[in-house]
Amino acid sequence: MEKKTSQHKIIPERTSEGLKSSKPAKNSVGAKAIKSSLLHAQKYMVKDQAIKLSLKMNQKGGFDCPGCAWPDPDDDRSKLGEYCENGIKAIAEEATNKSIKDSFFVENSIDELLRWTDFELGKQGRLTRPYILKKGSAHYTPIKWKKAFSLIANELNALADPDDAIFYTSGRTSNEAAYLYQLFARSFGTNNLPDCSNMCHESSGVALSETLGIGKGSVKLEDFEKAELVIVMGQNPGTNHPRMLSALEKSKENGAKIISINPLPEAGLVKYTNPQSPFRMLTGGIKLTDLHLPVKLNGDVALLKAIMILLLEKEKKSPGSIFDLEFIEKHTSYYQEFINDLKSYDLEDCIRESGIIKKNIEKAVELIASRKKIIICWAMGLTQHRNGVNNIREVVNLLLLKGSIGIEGGGTCPVRGHSNVQGDRTMGIWEAAPQAFIDRLSTRYNFQFKSDHGLATVPAIKAMHEQRGKVFFGLGGNFVSASPDTEYTATALSNCRLTVHVSTKLNRSHLVHGEIALILPCLGRTDKDIQSDKEQFVSCENSMGVVQSSQGILTPIAKTMKSEVEIICKLAMSTLPESHLNWKNWYSNYNLIRDEISAVIPGFEDYNKRVRQEAGFYLPNGAREGNFITSTHKAQFSINPIPDHNLKHNEFAMMTIRSHDQFNTTIYGLDDRYRGIKNGRRVILMNQEDMSKTGLKKYDIVDLESDFEGQKRKVKNFKVVPYPIPQQNVATYFPEANPLVPIDSYAHRSLTPCSKYVVITIHKSE
Ligand SMILES: Nc1nc2c(c(=O)[nH]1)N[C@H]1C(S)=C(S)[C@@H](COP(=O)(O)OP(=O)(O)OC[C@H]3O[C@@H](n4cnc5c(=O)[nH]c(N)nc54)[C@H](O)[C@@H]3O)O[C@H]1N2
Ligand SMILES: Nc1nc2c(c(=O)[nH]1)N[C@H]1C(S)=C(S)[C@@H](COP(=O)(O)OP(=O)(O)OC[C@H]3O[C@@H](n4cnc5c(=O)[nH]c(N)nc54)[C@H](O)[C@@H]3O)O[C@H]1N2
Ligand SMILES: [Mo]
């Protein structure tokens, strides 16, 4: 029998009062961005801290911005700090002096707090001491650390099977904490290590490992200076990776062309004003995109096929003039199979499915045909589809035809999300870690670790829903809001005996709980971490495989918070009292943890020395070096059919995207400045023609319904906003629209929820 989590919905459904919308912006960053970040810093941070932090962010010897994973230049860092508006917002969110007091939980019950929006929850300040929600209680109350650890240990050790526990990780966790966390989970006896990557770039990891032999991108930051063409697909860098715009600016200055492939005309891609260039600030910025292709949602495979068919036609006329036949011959497998398949497609079908007019596809073909140093960047617009893995394999096909991988100025660039999500994977946060990794762990610790595959995010939710998962432990993140199918996931969590969250700030996942729930407050990136009287530092890996140290600079606002490393070690000591591992010393000296990593993970030799070098160090990368560690020892072409869509006339394909004022489920504010939206998040962006056809007017209030294999899901009170978006495509914000993403709708093979393609119908609210 299913339990009810609450009388009301997990996400409040109040409509956005005071919503305003105007035309989307053409320019990005510039003076407005500086003003916005300063206002934000002023509102939420103490002034001298704000200045101190912005000067240290992403500096050598400073701390790694807790925002995105875009790399910092190896040299030549601006004195102003490798700075961006959304980076400032991310640190303002963390480095607040405001904290949640015990009285807060006395005054507010769980049911009461569930009525609050994510924005309201996040603004309550830092969590500074552990809290427990006892069985049957409506309020959190304080608990001592020691008691909290022994409670978790008792619950874990009472499980009939270690696989009844689930250890989730979000991507802010440092390398040191991540390494120990996976070691703890595996020592406890489970490989259930789902992470945010399962919902993010997993499709990239699967596709790249199989075609190029490494699940990471191949380019370095400096390649952007040498590229002749950069293609940005399914990504909104102006908001989510603002520092990428200065890399694109450099590409442009050096003569490169830029193509953007995106259903929306995202501001950052149109025009950019570098905040660190007074000249650009005065002259109003640089135009980045040379060609914008407003592809239909999930029309990318069709578009890439159309492009490649036209390239093939040119190649046939003059063999070797378009494709790099020498590279193909020497370094790739399955070329002929790929070409035979490509020939079986009808160009006009591909063009129709892509939604782009032929003239513009031909323009893209012209830009690609004559260039070889090509970088393709992508993010969630490609990965979060049913055919997410195929999307990325098709990107690889194009790069292989051109011989653009493993050369200066060319290659793959999956732009990662969380600042250390790539590092967490390298450290073994992986439910499906390779056998070689398990073997190295087993050798190092003289213990046979299990090598079966554990549960990824979607299967973990299902296991809890079916009452197989009984303890949920989250190292960071906001599982209930970030996961698909909010109500289903909420039921899953509420089926657990115990839910535990290691967190910096209050979020919805603390309110959707097991029989017993714990909140364990931890230090963040900006906080000083002192253990045994010595200041410690941690390290992270950015989107391009550079490992760097990160050291906070602010005195923590309370002594009762612990570092993630200390929390994991103490958890291990209380849960596994017989463990012969060095948990006790590891948290007093992080160098010892790095020694372990050096011994187990290839590429980390001499970690303690190399991480202290000013700009860190690069990890080995086969694809970058032209060494493809695949089943054929070569890069592989692959065959990727065009997905069917078959939308009925009243159905829409909906993508769920980020606004300019959020970091995933952390909501900084209620505006989406570049898209011209103010003061509201419960909105649905719709094509004007579609609005006329369905009789909807601007700001009409609608309910959205998804119908997946006969199961209906509904959210209420969204306001319609007219927007330049392809017909039959609509957009809403994540996480408000997550209740509509069906749990069973996930990408083939990567199991990534299809957050960018939810079939819905739209109904005027009663
Ligand atoms: N400030 C800020 N920075 C962030 C984050 C944040 O929330 N806020 N989140 C971090 C994380 S974890 C991640 S993963 C990244 C996310 O970075 P992005 O992937 O840029 O984030 P989304 O908002 O999901 O945007 C997806 C983009 O893909 C486009 N798109 C959607 N569907 C399709 C499609 O079918 N084809 C094509 N070609 N395009 C499509 C959308 O229009 C949108 O521009 O950002 C990271 N950085
Ligand atoms: N519909 C839809 N759903 C999506 C997506 C989408 O595009 N559409 N995107 C997906 C993607 S790409 C991702 S990556 C996931 C994100 O999923 P998560 O990583 O689970 O979610 P976040 O919102 O990033 O987590 C925020 C919480 O992390 C905690 N936190 C912040 N800093 C720290 C820290 O330093 N240490 C610890 N321990 N905790 C900290 C805070 O308590 C904060 O509330 O969401 C996915 N969900
Ligand atoms: Mo992500």
Side-chain angles (χ1 to χ4, degrees), residues 121 142 209 242 262 314 320 351 374 392 406 417 428 461 478 484 516 525 645 663 674 748:
L121 290 172
S209 301
N262 196 312
K314 281 180 181 286
I351 294 177
I374 303 172
I392 287 115
I461 298 170
N478 183 358
I516 306 172
R525 284 279 165 79
H645 289 121
F663 191 95
Y674 295 155
H748 183 52

Side-chain angles (χ1 to χ4, degrees), residues 229 231 257 259 261 291 293 302-315 317 321-323 347 351 356-372 374 398 402:
L229 175 67
I231 305 179
K257 298 286 180 191
I259 303 179
I261 302 180
L291 178 66
L293 302 176
L303 175 61
L304 288 168
K305 284 220 193 293
I307 290 174
M308 291 190 286
I309 290 171
L310 290 168
L311 286 172
L312 180 63
E313 281 177 10
K314 281 180 181 286
E315 167 72 15
K317 284 185 196 140
S321 63
I322 306 292
F323 296 169
L347 176 63
I351 294 177
I356 306 289
I357 53 172
K358 189 169 182 186
K359 199 174 85 206
N360 284 343
I361 299 184
E362 284 167 347
K363 281 188 191 160
V365 169
E366 282 311 311
L367 289 173
I368 297 168
S370 56
R371 291 175 175 80
K372 182 175 161 75
I374 303 172
L398 174 58
K402 298 293 299 174

Side-chain angles (χ1 to χ4, degrees), residues 168 170 172 418 478 482 502 505 507 564 656 665 738 756:
Y168 174 74
S170 164
R172 265 193 199 171
H418 266 298
N478 183 358
V502 178
K505 304 281 290 273
N507 67 43
E564 291 182 345
T656 55
T665 68
N738 282 39
K756 295 291 186 272

Side-chain angles (χ1 to χ4, degrees), residues 708-727:
F708 182 81
E709 295 174 353
Q711 308 156 1
K712 291 209 188 319
R713 295 167 172 83
K714 192 169 178 177
V715 292
K716 287 187 173 164
N717 301 330
F718 280 66
K719 280 190 177 167
V720 176
V721 169
Y723 206 80
I725 182 171
Q727 280 189 41

Side-chain angles (χ1 to χ4, degrees), residues 463-474:
M464 292 186 277
H465 204 271
E466 289 159 15
Q467 311 197 354
R468 284 184 284 122
K470 297 195 173 70
V471 173
F472 175 90
F473 190 102

